[in-house]
Amino acid sequence: MLVLKNLVKTYDNGHQAIKGISVDIKQGEFIVLVGPSGCGKSSILRSIAGLESITSGKIELNNRRIDTETPASRDIAMVFQNYALYPHMTVYENLAYGLKNRGVDRNTIESKIEKVAETLKITDYLDRKPAQLSGGQRQRVAMGRAIVREPQLFLFDEPLSNLDASLRAHMRLEIKKLQRELAVTSVYVTHDQVEAMTLADRIIVLNQGEIEQVGTPAEVYHQP
Ligand code: ADP
Ligand code: ADP
C-alpha cells in the first residue's frame, strides 16, 4: 500500500503547492486525482516518483519509507501524456531498455516483452520506430514500458489527453482491463470526468493543495 503522511511541498519561490496531505491507498487500489489546474496534482505525482523532493511529511510504499530514496530505487513506473519513447529505438528496444539497464538477462527480457506485447496487442509493431506508430499505438508502448518493469506502483499523468475522443474511449477500456488483470496500485491524474468515473476505485478531489473530498465515483459525482 501507498501512504502519504502530512505531505507538504513548498517550491523554491515560496509557493506551497501541497499543504499537508494524508491518505492511505490500499494494495491494488486505483486512485484518480482530480481538481482544477494548479491544485497540486502533478506536484503530488512528481513527489511520489521522486522527481521533486518533498518539504516535509512522509511517503511509504509497502511499509518502506521511499521519500528519502532516489527515484530509481523507488520501484515506481510513471506514464506521461507525451509518451516519452526513445525515437531512435525500435518498440522492442524501448521496452527492453529499462530491464537491460538493470542487468536482466536477454532471455528473460525477451519472454517478458513477449508477454506484455501480447497483453497490449503490440506484437506486430516490435520492429518499428515510434514515428511509424499511431498515437494510440505509441501510448500502448509507453504503457508497456511501464508494465514490463513490474513496478509496485503506477503513476499516470493525464496519459490520454493527447489522443482524440474515440481513441481515448478505447484506451480507457484497455486501461480498465489491465487494471483488472494486473491489480497494481495506481495513482492516475486526469481532467476527464468520464475517465475518473470509469477507472477509479476512489477519487481524491484536490483544491489549492488540499484534499477537498475522497470517495467512490458514485459518492463524488452523484451527490444528493
Ligand atoms: P496541477 O497538476 O494540479 O495543475 P501543479 O502541481 O502543477 O498543479 O501545480 C501546483 C501549484 O504549484 C501551481 O500553483 C503551480 O503554479 C505551482 N508550481 C508547480 N511547479 C512549480 C515550480 N517548479 N516552482 C514554483 N511553483 C510551481
Ligand atoms: P543489442 O543491444 O545487443 O544491439 P538489441 O537491443 O538490438 O541488442 O536486441 C537485444 C536482443 O533482443 C537481440 O538479441 C534480439 O534477439 C532481441 N530482439 C530485438 N528485437 C526483437 C524483436 N522485434 N522481436 C524479438 N526479439 C527481438
Side-chain angles (χ1 to χ4, degrees), residues 39 157 167 185:
C39 70
D157 196 355
L167 203 49
T185 312

Side-chain angles (χ1 to χ4, degrees), residues 11 13 15 17 36-44 52:
Y11 285 104
N13 65 359
H15 181 79
S37 181
C39 70
K41 302 182 294 295
S42 292
S43 296
I44 291 176
E52 298 283 355

